[in-house]
Amino acid sequence: MIRQYELVDRVKAYDPSVNEDRLNRAYVFALKAHGSQTRASGDPYFSHPVEVAGILTAMKLDEASIVTALLHDVVEDTNTSLDEIERLFGPIIRQLVNGVTKLSLVEMPFNDDASDLSDANKQVENLRKFFLAMSEDIRVLLVKLADRLHNMQTLHFIKNPEKRRRIASETLDIFAPLAGRIGLNDFKDQLENLAFAELQPDANRFISDKLHEHQINEEDLIKAIGVELTDRLQQQSLTVTVQGRMKTPFSIWKKMQRKNVSFEHLSDIMAFRILVANLAECYQALGVIHSSYSTVPGKFKDYISTPKSNGYQSIHTSVIGPRKHRIEVQIRTQAMQEVADRGVAAHWSYKDGVPIKSDRSFIWLRDLVEVINS
């Protein structure tokens, strides 16, 4: 479990002006409020909000988000009131904690077998409440996604298999797509793979084992391809960082289902990311890659000239690369990588806990709420 001083140090690393006193008070308050409560794992319950807060520090979220993560379960699971939260931590924290609590209390609308109109209407109403709670402040959603991620990481401790499957289905149907929608691609991948492992354990085990074999057998190949790509680009006076990896089990399973092929017949399980200094060099690097290797038809996307709604920018292409291996290549700047890593959080800034910059990647959610409410 992350210790109090460690959490403060993590936040100070990216925000030296953080209110250490409020962070420390929130840590101690939540520790005392949860008291002797335990999780399904047998660990002290307080370990959960601390881990959620730790996940958010990796996203470099503001102090209010970290405090909210520490306090996000105290209203629902202890005798703490929202008035007490406001008195001790201020109105912004009250609003955020209340938003996360509302999300937790909404009965999730995942029943595909609504037997009558009343069931269907209930699902629509729950969905409306769900999105309405999220739309109050994007940080509410970010805390909730981190909460869900840690719950999925510890899902195996829940003994009831039906409950595990319900939580995994919720994650795959709602939370993973939401994470992707606001640009948290790493969150999305983790949530998908954790849910996949619960819902399709045999398929997950088979693909994971295959990927492990490939990683052992082809680790040198990934390095060699990375070296060749780097050399080609450096020959054109480009300073680049090339990163190679295997694709995720869930993404491979989806491709196997979509193409109706076996794992052995998949030709592009390796992906490479090329980081360059500026926008112009993105297109220069693309020219080098396309002039050096044969392209795969229909596999080119320019998300720089036409960014995704969540602000994501990158060039995606697939080529028959070094050693005749088909590979996916993503080309972007370091600033674009920051957005790809942190999603919507990379666009928002705060002053005294109040958002001061409108974020276009969150507009879709507000528009959706207006449609649902109309």
Side-chain angles (χ1 to χ4, degrees):
M1 186 169 67
I2 303 171
R3 297 181 181 180
Q4 186 173 340
Y5 74 89
E6 292 173 331
L7 183 65
V8 173
D9 285 347
R10 288 192 189 188
V11 181
K12 285 175 64 179
Y14 61 83
D15 182 9
S17 64
V18 64
N19 184 336
E20 293 184 44
D21 175 65
R22 189 162 69 159
L23 266 180
N24 283 317
R25 285 190 293 109
Y27 190 104
V28 173
F29 182 89
L31 173 62
K32 291 181 177 178
H34 288 293
S36 60
Q37 294 175 348
T38 58
R39 306 194 79 221
S41 63
D43 292 332
Y45 190 89
F46 178 63
S47 64
H48 169 64
V50 171
E51 291 302 321
V52 173
I55 289 170
L56 294 179
T57 62
M59 296 169 59
K60 301 180 181 179
L61 287 198
D62 66 315
E63 172 208 325
S65 300
I66 308 303
V67 170
T68 299
L70 291 170
L71 303 174
H72 78 272
D73 277 336
V74 295
V75 172
E76 182 182 357
D77 294 338
T78 76
N79 293 325
T80 305
S81 68
L82 285 170
D83 288 340
E84 187 175 7
I85 293 293
E86 182 170 357
R87 178 174 60 82
L88 293 173
F89 301 102
I92 296 297
I93 301 301
R94 175 193 174 121
Q95 176 185 330
L96 293 172
V97 170
N98 187 37
V100 178
T101 302
K102 285 180 180 178
L103 278 183
S104 300
L105 294 176
V106 172
E107 183 181 345
M108 303 303 283
F110 306 108
N111 180 14
D112 292 330
D113 301 317
S115 58
D116 55 35
L117 185 60
S118 62
D119 287 340
N121 288 339
K122 183 179 179 182
Q123 290 188 45
V124 171
E125 176 61 17
N126 286 337
L127 191 61
R128 185 192 70 82
K129 290 178 181 178
F130 183 72
F131 283 109
L132 188 61
M134 285 192 303
S135 68
E136 294 176 354
D137 190 312
I138 187 64
R139 292 172 291 183
V140 169
L141 177 55
L142 296 175
V143 174
K144 187 59 184 177
L145 286 171
D147 170 59
R148 178 51 62 120
L149 177 57
H150 185 249
N151 282 334
M152 287 300 298
Q153 290 169 344
T154 56
L155 184 66
H156 58 283
F157 288 111
I158 295 177
K159 294 181 179 179
N160 187 328
E162 291 184 6
K163 184 175 181 180
R164 290 199 308 269
R165 289 187 64 83
R166 177 183 62 79
I167 293 171
S169 294
E170 291 174 357
T171 299
L172 197 59
D173 292 343
I174 296 293
F175 290 102
L178 276 173
R181 195 67 173 82
I182 62 172
L184 298 179
N185 295 313
D186 183 55
F187 267 43
K188 175 178 175 289
D189 288 345
Q190 291 187 65
L191 290 171
E192 286 178 339
N193 285 306
L194 289 165
F196 177 53
E198 177 61 38
L199 297 171
Q200 300 280 350
D202 292 339
N204 175 70
R205 193 177 303 110
F206 171 79
I207 295 173
S208 297
D209 288 346
K210 287 290 187 181
L211 284 175
H212 183 64
E213 291 174 15
H214 273 260
Q215 196 146 7
I216 293 175
N217 297 332
E218 299 186 3
E219 185 173 359
D220 291 340
L221 174 62
I222 293 176
K223 290 180 180 178
I225 291 176
V227 168
E228 181 171 330
L229 292 175
T230 301
D231 288 344
R232 295 275 181 133
L233 293 160
Q234 288 180 342
Q235 288 172 12
Q236 301 301 317
S237 302
L238 287 167
T239 301
V240 300
T241 300
V242 177
Q243 303 165 341
R245 63 175 177 84
M246 291 288 186
K247 293 186 176 180
T248 66
F250 182 70
S251 67
I252 289 176
W253 180 80
K254 283 199 302 183
K255 184 167 289 189
M256 289 168 61
Q257 298 298 306
R258 187 172 64 251
K259 294 187 174 182
N260 194 27
V261 296
S262 66
F263 181 92
E264 287 73 19
H265 287 88
L266 289 177
S267 56
D268 54 345
I269 62 173
M270 290 182 288
F272 290 83
R273 180 180 302 143
I274 298 171
L275 300 180
V276 296
N278 53 56
L279 188 148
E281 290 187 357
C282 289
Y283 291 99
Q284 186 180 349
L286 176 66
V288 173
I289 296 299
H290 278 187
S291 62
S292 302
Y293 307 106
S294 299
T295 61
V296 177
K299 292 294 184 179
F300 175 76
K301 296 286 186 181
D302 185 352
Y303 294 117
I304 293 180
S305 63
T306 308
K308 292 186 178 182
S309 60
N310 57 31
Y312 175 86
Q313 290 184 290
S314 183
I315 295 172
H316 293 191
T317 189
S318 290
V319 298
I320 308 302
R323 305 191 183 187
K324 302 299 181 182
H325 282 274
R326 177 169 163 170
I327 59 173
E328 178 185 299
V329 179
Q330 300 173 354
I331 305 170
R332 62 184 70 143
T333 67
Q334 188 60 54
M336 294 172 191
Q337 180 60 32
E338 177 81 357
V339 175
D341 282 341
R342 297 176 56 213
V344 61
H347 296 292
W348 279 57
S349 55
Y350 298 86
K351 183 178 182 181
D352 299 326
V354 179
I356 59 175
K357 181 181 178 183
S358 176
D359 178 23
R360 67 178 181 175
S361 68
F362 195 44
I363 292 175
W364 69 272
L365 182 53
R366 297 195 186 98
D367 290 344
L368 179 57
V369 171
E370 290 180 6
V371 171
I372 294 174
N373 280 334
S374 61

